[in-house]
């Protein structure tokens, strides 16, 4: 026969397990959420970096659509692409084959909604493009941007 009217052993064990579960979930959230937020930010920055390269490729395609055009036309073609700024245009090649060299700065800003609120990533890169007067393909050369 039992006396005392206390909490049963089964109920005490259940409460202890529930309390332990709540504490572990709190610790997991405190450690895990910042890691997930950082990973989400890294993905957004990677997407911004890929878009910088894609925008530079688009500017390259627009410039190479008419490679025999003069410097002002090539500058306008590159400037027409959103996010592209033409830093310099130089036609310092030999007279027999006047190659125009453009230096472009490409800037992209990305924002995204996530569980953690709005996240933003800004990316910028500079590229050099030598445009020969014929239809030969021209590669983009990545440069360090001037300040």
């Amino acid at each position: 026969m039992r006396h005392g009217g206390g909490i049963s052993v089964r109920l005490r064990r259940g409460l202890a397990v529930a309390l332990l579960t709540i504490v572990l979930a709190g610790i997991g959230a405190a450690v895990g959420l910042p890691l997930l937020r950082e990973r989400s930010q890294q993905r957004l920055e990677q997407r911004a970096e890929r878009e910088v390269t894609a925008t530079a490729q688009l500017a390259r395609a627009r410039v190479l659509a008419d490679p025999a055009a003069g410097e002002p036309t090539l500058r306008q073609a590159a400037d027409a692409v959103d996010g592209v700024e033409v830093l310099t245009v130089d036609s310092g090649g030999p007279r027999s084959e006047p190659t125009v060299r453009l230096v472009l700065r490409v800037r992209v800003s990305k924002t995204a909604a996530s569980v953690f609120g709005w996240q933003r990533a800004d990316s910028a890169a500079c590229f050099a493009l030598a445009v020969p007067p014929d239809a030969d393909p021209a590669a983009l050369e990545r440069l360090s941007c001037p300040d």
Side-chain angles (χ1 to χ4, degrees):
M1 188 159 143
R2 268 181 140 176
H3 297 283
I7 299 176
S8 72
V9 173
R10 184 179 294 173
L11 183 57
R12 278 187 287 174
R13 284 184 187 155
L15 288 173
V17 168
L19 182 62
L20 181 64
T21 302
I22 290 171
V23 168
L24 288 177
I27 292 171
V31 171
L33 288 178
L35 294 175
L36 291 174
R37 185 182 194 298
E38 180 65 28
R39 180 67 180 139
S40 177
Q41 182 66 32
Q42 286 175 351
R43 285 183 186 157
L44 186 61
E45 289 169 359
Q46 288 170 351
R47 285 196 328 229
E49 186 62 32
R50 283 193 304 267
E51 192 167 323
V52 162
T53 304
T55 303
Q57 291 290 344
L58 177 61
R60 175 184 166 272
R62 297 253 175 103
V63 166
L64 292 178
D66 187 13
E71 287 181 28
T73 306
L74 295 176
R75 176 185 283 273
Q76 288 173 353
D79 268 335
V81 178
D82 191 32
V84 175
E85 173 189 3
V86 178
L87 299 177
T88 61
V89 179
D90 183 29
S91 59
R95 282 286 179 221
S96 62
E97 202 171 304
T99 299
V100 177
R101 184 172 192 265
L102 289 97
V103 176
L104 313 171
R105 177 181 289 153
V106 181
R107 294 181 185 174
V108 171
S109 292
K110 302 281 294 175
T111 57
S114 71
V115 177
F116 311 104
W118 285 97
Q119 292 181 310
R120 180 186 175 105
D122 297 317
S123 186
C126 292
F127 298 90
L129 174 64
V131 183
D134 52 5
D136 289 341
L140 280 172
E141 175 188 355
R142 194 170 193 134
L143 306 171
S144 59
C145 287
D147 293 331

